[in-house]
Short mmCIF file of all heavy atoms in Angstrom, two decimals:
data_model
loop_
_atom_site.label_atom_id
_atom_site.label_comp_id
_atom_site.label_asym_id
_atom_site.label_seq_id
_atom_site.Cartn_x
_atom_site.Cartn_y
_atom_site.Cartn_z
N THR I 264 -66.92 -13.73 -5.14
CA THR I 264 -67.29 -12.88 -6.14
C THR I 264 -68.34 -13.63 -7.06
O THR I 264 -68.24 -14.68 -7.39
CB THR I 264 -66.20 -12.46 -7.01
OG1 THR I 264 -65.22 -11.79 -6.31
CG2 THR I 264 -66.69 -11.52 -8.24
N GLN I 270 -71.58 -13.91 -17.96
CA GLN I 270 -70.12 -14.06 -17.66
C GLN I 270 -69.73 -15.57 -17.60
O GLN I 270 -68.56 -15.88 -17.69
CB GLN I 270 -69.84 -13.38 -16.33
CG GLN I 270 -69.80 -11.84 -16.49
CD GLN I 270 -69.66 -11.09 -15.21
OE1 GLN I 270 -70.26 -11.45 -14.21
NE2 GLN I 270 -68.84 -10.04 -15.16
N LEU I 297 -64.47 -29.81 -27.64
CA LEU I 297 -65.25 -29.10 -28.59
C LEU I 297 -64.81 -27.52 -28.54
O LEU I 297 -64.37 -27.11 -27.60
CB LEU I 297 -66.76 -29.10 -28.17
CG LEU I 297 -67.72 -28.87 -29.33
CD1 LEU I 297 -67.70 -29.90 -30.37
CD2 LEU I 297 -69.20 -28.76 -28.72
N SER I 344 -80.17 -31.94 -22.27
CA SER I 344 -81.58 -32.06 -22.22
C SER I 344 -81.96 -33.40 -21.75
O SER I 344 -82.99 -33.51 -21.04
CB SER I 344 -82.17 -31.75 -23.60
OG SER I 344 -83.54 -31.98 -23.65
N ALA I 423 -70.46 -42.57 -2.38
CA ALA I 423 -69.67 -43.63 -3.01
C ALA I 423 -68.92 -43.13 -4.19
O ALA I 423 -67.72 -43.57 -4.37
CB ALA I 423 -70.64 -44.82 -3.33
N TRP I 424 -69.56 -42.38 -5.03
CA TRP I 424 -68.83 -41.81 -6.23
C TRP I 424 -67.71 -40.90 -5.85
O TRP I 424 -66.64 -41.08 -6.58
CB TRP I 424 -69.82 -41.00 -7.11
CG TRP I 424 -70.83 -41.79 -7.80
CD1 TRP I 424 -70.99 -43.14 -7.82
CD2 TRP I 424 -71.99 -41.28 -8.49
NE1 TRP I 424 -72.10 -43.53 -8.58
CE2 TRP I 424 -72.71 -42.39 -9.03
CE3 TRP I 424 -72.45 -39.95 -8.77
CZ2 TRP I 424 -73.92 -42.22 -9.79
CZ3 TRP I 424 -73.61 -39.80 -9.60
CH2 TRP I 424 -74.30 -40.91 -10.09
N PHE I 433 -57.32 -32.38 -13.68
CA PHE I 433 -58.22 -31.44 -14.27
C PHE I 433 -59.14 -30.75 -13.32
O PHE I 433 -59.40 -29.57 -13.26
CB PHE I 433 -59.18 -32.20 -15.27
CG PHE I 433 -60.12 -31.39 -16.17
CD1 PHE I 433 -59.60 -30.84 -17.38
CD2 PHE I 433 -61.36 -31.08 -15.73
CE1 PHE I 433 -60.39 -30.06 -18.17
CE2 PHE I 433 -62.14 -30.21 -16.46
CZ PHE I 433 -61.75 -29.82 -17.70
#
Side-chain angles (χ1 to χ4, degrees):
T264 298
Q270 288 174 319
L297 203 65
S344 179
W424 289 354
F433 186 92

